Amino acid sequence: MKIILLGPPGAGKGTQADFICAALKIPKISTGDMLRELTSHAFVNETPTQKQIRNLLNAGLLVPDDIIVQLVTDRINEADCANGFLLDGFPRTIGQAEALQQAGIQINLVLQLQVPDAQIIERLSGRRVHPASGRTYHIKYNPPKVADMDDETGEPLKQRRDDEESTIRTRLEVYKLQTEPLVAWYSERAAQLQTKYVAIDATGSVEQVKESILTAVNATKAQL
Ligand code: AP5
């Protein structure tokens, strides 16, 4: 099963990706996590590309297509992706979707998570993350068992640099301009690409959204 999770920043892609991957036993390919990992230890001997990526991430702007497409196609070619994978945060431009198509990678299901802007700002400003694993919490809606500590390792949680309100607004604008056109791109090509396209109302609780997603995933699985 090859799945794309599409949706604005803070829609809950990372949160739901973990549930789907655990249910289907497939790896999660999160381009945001990969880029953060690539730049997290890079202050000493930082390459020009690492510096460029770090600056773009902190500003809430997209990394160029050629860099990201190479990262993702290399990752998909690894052995653990042979039976499927979930793409969280990729593709994010029509150019990236075309590159995926040209590489002959056939996606079974595109899930679009829909959440209005006001809810997104609340979700992102309360988000806390465990940097090493990418595990995500929310101080009110999805709190860790012990405040500010990761449930599995007990290590401290952090706030992402791009979760400041002004950067969240930039990320929302970037989403509308560069990523939202993918909604029409995929829904219009669903038959041609043999890809199921399902829009999910992601405004409910984490559990409610999870149920809607698992219904769509199981229906797609039954048709394969
Ligand atoms: P990335 O890390 O992918 O960020 P994003 O798409 O902006 O998405 P987020 O991680 O912010 O949100 P999410 O939808 O995963 O929500 P989450 O589950 O955490 O990308 C970061 C940057 O990397 C980009 O800005 C760009 O610079 C670069 N980049 C990445 N991919 C790229 C690409 N393909 N091309 C070019 N550049 C790229 O949930 C958010 C919060 O809400 C959490 O606190 C969570 O606990 C809470 N929550 C989740 N669900 C619910 C719910 N149902 N109810 C209440 N709270 C909820």
Side-chain angles (χ1 to χ4, degrees):
M1 185 89 145
K2 296 180 181 123
I3 302 175
I4 288 174
L5 263 188
L6 188 63
K13 301 183 296 297
T15 304
Q16 298 297 336
D18 289 337
F19 297 130
I20 303 167
C21 291
L24 294 176
K25 298 187 175 58
I26 53 174
K28 169 170 100 166
I29 303 179
S30 158
T31 44
D33 285 350
M34 287 164 91
L35 293 169
R36 278 183 290 278
E37 171 62 24
L38 204 66
T39 53
S40 62
H41 312 291
F43 289 95
V44 184
N45 300 327
E46 192 172 45
T47 65
T49 305
Q50 281 171 320
K51 188 174 179 190
Q52 179 195 12
I53 294 173
R54 186 164 55 81
N55 289 338
L56 288 167
L57 246 70
N58 288 343
L61 301 172
L62 295 188
V63 168
D65 283 355
D66 55 341
I67 295 179
I68 203 84
V69 166
Q70 189 65 51
L71 264 181
V72 172
T73 46
D74 285 353
R75 178 68 187 88
I76 286 175
N77 284 329
E78 288 179 28
D80 64 332
C81 293
N83 292 324
F85 49 80
L86 179 141
L87 292 170
D88 164 9
F90 181 94
R92 244 175 164 97
T93 63
I94 288 179
Q96 293 176 16
E98 286 171 346
L100 207 53
Q101 189 187 0
Q102 279 154 19
I105 297 160
Q106 207 234 313
I107 301 296
N108 307 107
L109 175 63
V110 175
L111 287 165
Q112 183 211 352
L113 303 190
Q114 298 177 320
V115 184
D117 289 3
Q119 217 169 333
I120 283 171
I121 292 168
E122 196 198 0
R123 284 187 186 184
L124 289 182
S125 45
R127 172 163 64 183
R128 299 292 179 271
V129 294
H130 177 239
S133 67
R135 266 186 296 281
T136 299
Y137 302 86
H138 190 280
I139 49 173
K140 186 168 157 196
Y141 300 118
N142 186 21
K145 289 176 190 145
V146 177
D148 293 327
M149 300 292 175
D150 177 49
D151 286 353
E152 295 200 11
T153 62
E155 289 168 351
L157 302 178
K158 294 206 168 143
Q159 223 176 339
R160 263 171 50 176
R161 278 197 63 175
D162 59 350
D163 279 348
E164 284 170 23
E165 192 163 331
S166 63
T167 316
I168 295 172
R169 290 194 188 279
T170 305
R171 289 162 62 201
L172 281 171
E173 279 167 32
V174 167
Y175 175 79
K176 288 195 172 99
L177 276 173
Q178 294 183 263
T179 307
E180 210 165 54
L182 282 174
V183 171
W185 196 89
Y186 273 114
S187 42
E188 283 160 11
R189 284 168 182 74
Q192 178 204 335
L193 298 174
Q194 292 181 300
T195 300
K196 200 168 169 198
Y197 183 89
V198 181
I200 303 275
D201 173 1
T203 57
S205 68
V206 171
E207 277 305 312
Q208 285 166 335
V209 178
K210 180 179 163 183
E211 260 182 48
S212 309
I213 287 181
L214 289 180
T215 302
V217 166
N218 289 332
T220 307
K221 204 172 153 190
Q223 288 168 5
L224 291 182

